[in-house]
Amino acid sequence: MKKLTILLIVLLFSLPSFGKVKLPSIFADDMVLQRNTKVKIWGWGSPGETVTIKAGWLKNGVTVKTDSEGKWLAELKTGKAGGPYTISVKGENEILLNNILLGEVWICSGQSNMEYTIKMFGGWDVNFLKDKEDFEKNDYSKIRFCQVDKAVSKVPLDTCKAQWMVPSVENLENFSAAAYFFGRELYNRLKVPVALISTNWGGTPAEAWTDLKYLQDDKDLNYYLNINNNWEQNRPAELYNAMINPLIDYTIRGVIWYQGEANVDNANLYTKLFATMIKCWRDKWGIGDFPFYYVQIAPFNYGDDFNASAYLREAQLNTLAVTKNTGMAVTMDIGNPENIHPTDKQDVGKRLALWALAKTYNVKVPGYSGPVYKSFKKEGNKIRLFFDHTGKGLKAGGDKLSGFKIAGSDMKFVDADAVIDKNTVLVSSNEVPEPAAVRFAFTNTGSSNLYNSYDLPASSFRTDTIRFYKPDIFISASVNKSAGALEVKLSSADKNAVLHYTTDGSEPVLTYPEYKEPVLLSNTAELNAKAFSGNTPSINSLQLKFEKHLAFGKPVSYKEPYSAKYAASKEYTLTDGVRGGNNFNDGFWQGFQSVNFDVTIDLGAPLEIHTISAGFLRAMASWIFPPKKVEFYTSDDGINFTKKFEIVNPVPTGYGDVAPETYTAPLQNTTARFVRVFAENQNTIPEWHQGKGGKAWLFADEIIVK
């Protein structure tokens, strides 16, 4: 009976309470409504209740009745830009909204480069001092901010937590920098109120921002339903449900979007995924093909050998051709190969605003797009490239063009000479007498110094059409106690792919074994797997290095608990014989947030030990820090331990590379049954870090006893 009472209370709290008229938080003081159209206002009340909405710019109010579920929706006609106005919503009670403006409303969404604030970049005095002076000198009170709180949901929600703000030096420092600089450009040119609704979440992929049905209804996009995600916010539709669906019906002019880094691992389907996400939003809003302007991801060292981000940028570029009323701001010249969050958000905002001014507001601007590759023609031992959006001519940023590569029919690309000839570029190399293809800045870190006369850069591009196939391949491994071996299972998000593998570390080809059932590894081995689509192999492969050692398959006791998010194979994660890689989501790490790593392994019997090694991950941009120190102990009875070795780390002073690190204790003439490893967590994120003051993570890998 007690359980039933508790359940009833939970249900009551989860349902809307009737009796008083209520509004979702997107309707509040200081908001901006879209001018010169019809806007929707909605909320809840008692079933059958009469609700009257009066707006300061209208002579007459609008009256509606709630439905059987207590929901109501009204439409108000809006006129020219202006305000401030009040809005009254009256039923059994009355809600009064103040300081309302009519103007231009934009959704500002994406992942961390849209989320990043001036404060996250170090504050006003670091790279933004002139912008602070500009803000203090001018009146920007008619630019309004709305911040949507981060949330996830497995089902579409009809409300979210959102807060409207009139800008101040303090709250602007904590608002999306890219969004603000976009809004500032619009305001200065249009001289009308501008609303910026910021709804974003760092590190999230496009499928998380797409309604589930749109992914389910497309056989290709079913791929995203098969990806393993430890993070809720990365799962299909969960951000759309919680952070976009509640905004549907709030009338907007358009969307600006900065995302793509989280989809670099598989660019194959991104054009289709992105176009589908845009269609989804437009279908749901039901106000036509509103403008959707986005930022192409900037150069960054993603640490792979096949330059996957170049293909993602290509997918973003291709979206322009397949989805109407879109525009792309190129950042090839303002990135930072060592920082995935480039500081220059001023130019990002300006370049997005150029698209909006030219294409949405019909404001005359010198140019809004950089050069876009159109076609090529072979001319003897050279290739001539043609472009759209050249303006009054192409030009190089610097003494000469760079970043061009050329290849013959063998598709082996070498550095090329490139010169501008009016509105075209001629590319050649003495090493390639019969050229067949050209690539420009088509690497992870390649930047652009090809501009048009309006100082807007060209996107990276290629003239070849070599297929890029890089599906996610998953590997799971567990200790098979009965077989005394590691049982390895392979799968792919591409369910049509065929997997081939080797166990000697060599490159899998079609003639090697096809994966059909779990592979048992009983001795030290290196498993390598590739996915094949027909005869086309994936450019990526998945490696698993298995090492048979004294602690393999032995139970582990934890003094402090690991995070449930990174439980992996639980008991045997630290003794399954598998080393974790650079990806902390690969299933072979255990994460400890603000707690120390303190584990004991029972070897089952006294054994002669020569070394003990423990692996930890350094990925400080992801708040994963190396330990302050690592201590190694041995024991005969599991109660009394003797410290054998200690390694102390210097205090981190910068982000550094992402890399697994192995700490080894050399032992001589040691016999023991129990091994203990202690690693001290950094606990609190240091002051130099973007997440300063937060909880630091410590990620632990295989403990190897030899």
Side-chain angles (χ1 to χ4, degrees), residues 470-520:
K470 186 178 180 287
D472 277 4
I473 307 170
F474 307 119
I475 195 162
S476 61
S478 58
V479 176
N480 187 318
K481 294 291 284 185
S482 60
L486 186 74
E487 186 174 276
V488 182
K489 297 178 181 178
L490 303 174
S491 61
S492 172
D494 181 358
K495 296 306 178 185
N496 296 316
V498 176
L499 298 172
H500 291 266
Y501 70 95
T502 64
T503 55
D504 60 2
S506 60
E507 192 81 357
V509 295
L510 283 169
T511 56
Y512 279 90
E514 179 183 336
Y515 176 80
K516 292 182 178 178
E517 59 185 27
V519 180
L520 290 178

Side-chain angles (χ1 to χ4, degrees), residues 531-698:
F532 289 78
S533 177
N535 294 326
T536 304
S538 56
I539 64 170
N540 58 316
S541 61
L542 191 151
Q543 292 87 28
L544 178 144
K545 293 182 179 179
F546 168 65
E547 186 167 358
K548 190 78 174 285
H549 56 89
L550 296 179
F552 169 66
K554 299 301 189 292
V556 180
S557 301
Y558 295 83
K559 188 172 182 181
E560 297 192 69
Y562 49 76
S563 169
K565 279 185 177 180
Y566 298 99
S569 56
K570 298 181 175 61
E571 183 180 3
Y572 298 110
T573 300
L574 302 179
T575 59
D576 60 9
V578 182
R579 294 289 185 94
N582 286 15
N583 177 9
F584 54 84
N585 280 316
D586 65 9
F588 301 107
W589 295 93
Q590 282 185 340
F592 299 77
Q593 190 176 29
S594 275
V595 297
N596 295 323
F597 174 80
D598 195 343
V599 301
T600 300
I601 300 170
D602 183 355
L603 300 178
L607 299 173
E608 184 179 345
I609 301 172
H610 297 286
T611 60
I612 306 171
S613 298
F616 296 93
L617 182 64
R618 182 182 72 241
M620 289 180 282
S622 298
W623 301 5
I624 300 170
F625 291 80
K628 288 183 180 178
K629 66 178 178 179
V630 183
E631 298 173 346
F632 298 87
Y633 299 80
T634 61
S635 171
D636 294 326
D637 57 11
I639 299 171
N640 301 296
F641 284 86
T642 302
K643 184 193 287 189
K644 294 291 185 177
F645 201 72
E646 179 180 273
I647 300 171
V648 178
N649 272 327
V651 177
T653 57
Y655 290 98
D657 295 332
V658 176
E661 297 176 331
T662 300
Y663 299 79
T664 300
L667 307 181
Q668 292 182 351
N669 303 318
T670 298
T671 300
R673 174 174 174 173
F674 296 90
V675 169
R676 176 182 170 223
V677 179
F678 170 83
E680 187 176 353
N681 198 321
Q682 295 286 343
N683 290 317
T684 302
I685 297 173
E687 285 295 310
W688 55 264
H689 194 280
Q690 67 199 45
K692 62 183 178 182
K695 294 180 179 180
W697 284 90
L698 179 68

